[in-house]
C-alpha cells in the first residue's frame, strides 16, 4: 500500500507513454491500448482489475508503477446513511468528500480545491484561504473512493465541496468529462452539477460547453452591499452583471440554473432582502434552494429561524419563482468544517435527486 504512493502513478502516462512502456516491456502494441482503456476509461485503481492483461505483465507494471489514490484519513457515517470522508493526496493536502445514498441512488459531493481564495464570510473553507487547486484526476478519485466504499454506482456528482470550481476551470471541466465518459463512470451530464460563487467569465465559458452540465450559483443576497460583505471575493462581478450573464446562460442553453440562498439571521432574511431576491428571480428561468445557514462555531453569523425560511419560500412561490427548502443531510456527523454538510441536501421531507 505504502509503495503504491511512492511509485509513479501509471495514470499520469499518456497514450504515447504507454505505447513506449509496453514496447520496452516486450509486449505487443495492443496491450498499450488495453492498458490505456483500463486507466483512462474504466478508471482502474489497481493492476489486479486488469483481467485481460497477462499476469506476468501486470506484475512487471506493479514493480514499476502504482496508483496515487487518495488515502482516507477519516470517515464519519451519519444516521441518515451519508458518509463524510477526509481524503489525503500524496503531497499531504487533504479535502472533504461526501457520499449520500438515497434508495437506489448515490450522490457524491466533491471538492475542487483545497481551501478557497474567495473568502466568503459564512464559509469555513474560505476562512483559511487557498492551499492549492486539485487536478481533474484528484476530483475523479474522490468519486471513485466513494463508489468503492459504498460498492455502488454513483448516479450524480455535485462540485460543491471545498473550493471554487470556476476558479479551477480547466481541471473541473476535464473532471466533468471524465465522469461523463460513456465508457467510464457514465454519469449523465445533467447529473453533474457545478456550483459557483458567481465568477462571470467562468459562467460564460460554462454556457459555451456542448454538454448539458448543470449550474448552481451561490447567491445568498440580491442586495449588492450585503453580497459584497458576505462574498467579498466576487465583489467585482456585480449582481447586475451576474443577472445578465445568467440570462445569457439560460438563453444559450435553455437550462435552468439554481440559486443557493443560505438564510442568515438579520442579514439576508429581512423584508427588503426578500423583495430584492424576488426582483432578481422573477420572470427568469431559475430554481431557488433555500437553506438555513450552517452554524460555524465562533462565527457571528447565525441561521435564520425556520419560519423565516418558510415565509421566503411562500413569497417566492407567490411571485411565480420556484423555491425549495433544503434540509441538511448528515446533520449528526461532525460539522467542524461547517461547510460540507449543507451541500448534501434533500428537499424537505423528500428523497432528493
Ligand atoms: N465555491 C462554490 C462551491 C463550494 S461551496 C460556491 O460557493 O458555490 C458550496 C455551497 O455551500 C455554496 O452554495 C456555499 O455558498 C454554501 N455554503 C458555504 N458555507 C455555508 C454555510 N455555513 N451554510 C450554508 N451554506 C454554506
Ligand atoms: Fe469558496 Fe464557495 Fe466557500 Fe465562498 S462559499 S469561500 S466560493 S467554497
Amino acid at each position: 500500500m505504502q509503495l503504491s504512493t511512492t511509485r509513479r502513478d501509471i495514470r499520469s502516462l499518456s497514450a504515447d507513454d504507454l505505447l513506449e512502456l509496453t514496447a520496452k516491456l516486450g509486449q505487443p502494441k495492443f496491450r498499450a491500448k488495453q492498458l490505456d482503456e483500463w486507466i483512462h476509461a474504466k478508471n482502474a485503481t489497481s493492476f489486479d482489475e486488469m483481467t485481460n492483461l497477462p499476469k506476468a505483465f501486470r506484475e512487471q507494471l506493479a514493480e514499476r508503477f502504482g496508483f496515487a489514490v487518495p488515502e482516507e484519513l477519516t470517515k464519519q457515517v451519519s444516521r441518515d446513511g451519508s458518509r463524510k470522508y477526509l481524503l489525503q493526496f500524496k503531497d499531504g493536502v487533504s479535502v472533504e468528500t461526501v457520499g449520500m445514498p438515497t434508495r437506489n441512488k448515490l450522490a457524491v459531493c466533491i471538492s475542487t480545491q483545497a481551501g478557497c481564495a474567495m473568502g466568503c464570510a459564512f464559509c469555513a473553507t474560505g476562512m483559511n484561504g487557498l492551499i492549492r487547486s486539485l487536478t481533474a484526476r484528484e476530483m475523479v478519485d474522490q468519486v471513485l473512493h466513494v463508489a468503492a466504499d459504498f460498492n455502488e454506482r454513483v448516479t450524480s456528482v455535485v462540485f460543491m465541496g471545498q473550493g471554487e470550481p470556476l476558479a479551477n476551470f480547466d481541471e473541473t471541466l476535464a473532471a466533468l468529462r471524465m465522469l461523463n465518459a460513456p465508457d467510464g463512470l457514465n454519469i449523465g451530464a445533467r447529473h453533474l452539477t457545478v456550483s459557483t460563487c458567481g465568477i462571470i467569465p467562468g459562467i460564460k465559458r460554462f454556457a459555451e460547453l456542448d454538454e448539458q452540465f448543470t449550474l448552481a450559483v451561490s447567491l445568498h443576497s440580491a442586495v449588492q452591499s450585503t453580497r459584497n460583505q458576505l462574498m467579498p471575493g466576487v465583489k467585482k462581478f456585480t449582481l447586475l452583471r451576474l443577472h445578465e450573464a445568467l440570462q445569457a446562460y439560460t438563453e444559450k442553453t435553455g437550462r435552468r440554473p439554481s440559486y443557493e440562498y443560505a438564510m442568515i439571521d438579520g442579514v439576508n432574511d429581512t423584508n427588503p432582502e426578500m423583495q430584492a431576491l424576488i426582483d432578481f428571480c422573477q420572470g427568469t428561468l431559475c430554481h431557488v434552494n433555500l437553506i438555513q445557514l450552517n452554524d460555524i462555531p465562533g462565527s457571528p453569523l447565525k441561521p435564520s429561524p425556520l419560519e423565516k425560511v418558510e415565509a421566503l419560500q411562500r413569497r417566492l412561490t407567490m411571485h411565480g419563482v420556484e423555491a425549495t427548502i433544503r434540509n441538511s443531510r448528515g446533520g449528526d456527523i461532525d460539522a467542524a468544517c461547517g461547510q460540507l454538510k449543507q451541500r448534501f441536501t434533500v428537499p424537505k421531507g423528500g428523497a432528493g435527486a
Side-chain angles (χ1 to χ4, degrees):
M1 217 51 235
Q2 195 54 28
L3 277 178
S4 66
T5 55
T6 52
R7 285 175 192 173
R8 179 155 180 216
D9 191 344
I10 185 122
R11 302 174 303 170
S12 65
L13 270 54
S14 66
D16 283 346
D17 296 338
L18 292 173
L19 258 177
E20 201 180 303
L21 172 72
T22 311
K24 207 172 97 192
L25 297 178
Q27 292 289 332
K29 243 184 176 173
F30 73 94
R31 295 278 180 228
K33 187 156 185 299
Q34 288 176 316
L35 196 51
D36 191 34
E37 272 169 16
W38 279 112
I39 294 169
H40 296 117
K42 296 180 191 157
N43 294 295
T45 51
S46 75
F47 293 113
D48 295 341
E49 291 166 55
M50 304 181 179
T51 43
N52 59 355
L53 300 184
K55 198 152 187 282
F57 181 39
R58 281 186 266 157
E59 281 167 2
Q60 281 180 313
L61 292 169
E63 279 164 20
R64 291 164 177 80
F65 294 94
F67 293 82
V69 293
E71 188 188 339
E72 183 180 290
L73 295 183
T74 60
K75 173 166 84 178
Q76 294 167 311
V77 181
S78 164
R79 274 194 297 276
D80 66 22
S82 50
R83 301 178 194 172
K84 177 167 138 183
Y85 311 81
L86 187 62
L87 301 180
Q88 187 180 48
F89 301 111
K90 62 177 186 305
D91 64 350
V93 161
S94 56
V95 297
E96 289 174 332
T97 306
V98 182
M100 189 195 72
T102 42
R103 281 186 231 114
N104 51 357
K105 291 182 180 163
L106 178 58
V108 177
C109 175
I110 61 167
S111 296
T112 55
Q113 298 181 310
C116 182
M118 307 313 294
C120 300
F122 49 82
C123 172
T125 298
M127 282 171 188
N128 298 315
L130 176 68
I131 300 168
R132 72 165 170 88
S133 287
L134 303 190
T135 63
R137 171 50 71 197
E138 287 170 332
M139 295 179 211
V140 174
D141 275 353
Q142 295 172 61
V143 177
L144 295 177
H145 187 92
V146 179
D149 192 47
F150 278 89
N151 195 20
E152 265 181 52
R153 192 182 116 74
V154 171
T155 49
S156 64
V157 176
V158 289
F159 290 56
M160 285 194 184
Q162 293 166 303
E164 168 51 43
L166 299 189
N168 185 17
F169 196 102
D170 294 344
E171 294 297 321
T172 295
L173 177 58
L176 284 164
R177 290 191 165 143
M178 282 161 84
L179 296 170
N180 185 224
D183 46 2
L185 285 153
N186 195 19
I187 303 170
R190 286 160 191 269
H191 301 289
L192 297 170
T193 302
V194 170
S195 177
T196 178
C197 57
I199 297 183
I200 291 175
I203 294 176
K204 287 185 176 159
R205 270 186 81 188
F206 199 77
E208 297 298 322
L209 302 177
D210 291 333
E211 298 93 340
Q212 306 246 301
F213 302 127
T214 300
L215 180 68
V217 176
S218 299
L219 197 56
H220 304 311
S221 175
V223 174
Q224 192 65 59
S225 55
T226 311
R227 197 165 192 267
N228 288 352
Q229 283 185 343
L230 290 177
M231 308 177 73
V234 281
K235 240 190 212 168
K236 66 173 173 186
F237 303 122
T238 60
L239 282 163
L240 199 69
R241 288 181 58 208
L242 183 61
H243 194 267
E244 278 168 14
L246 290 165
Q247 281 296 104
Y249 169 85
T250 52
E251 273 161 33
K252 171 95 190 11
T253 64
R255 300 200 303 275
R256 186 177 67 159
S258 55
Y259 300 153
E260 306 300 312
Y261 199 93
M263 293 189 68
I264 310 172
D265 194 24
V267 175
N268 62 1
D269 63 354
T270 62
N271 264 325
E273 287 279 343
M274 289 194 189
Q275 191 53 50
L277 178 64
I278 292 164
D279 293 343
F280 190 90
C281 298
Q282 211 172 10
T284 70
L285 205 57
C286 71
H287 184 104
V288 179
N289 288 320
L290 301 172
I291 184 164
Q292 277 175 295
L293 181 81
N294 272 339
D295 217 345
I296 303 174
S299 165
L301 302 176
K302 296 292 164 213
S304 302
L306 193 58
E307 305 82 73
K308 284 265 178 78
V309 185
E310 287 167 351
L312 180 54
Q313 185 197 24
R314 273 197 306 275
R315 281 180 69 169
L316 285 163
T317 310
M318 240 166 53
H319 288 86
V321 180
E322 268 185 55
T324 311
I325 299 179
R326 298 198 172 249
N327 279 343
S328 290
R329 292 266 323 235
D332 57 323
I333 54 181
D334 182 17
C337 85
Q339 225 246 333
L340 270 182
K341 64 170 188 164
Q342 86 287 348
R343 306 300 156 51
F344 265 123
T345 54
V346 289
K348 214 177 160 209

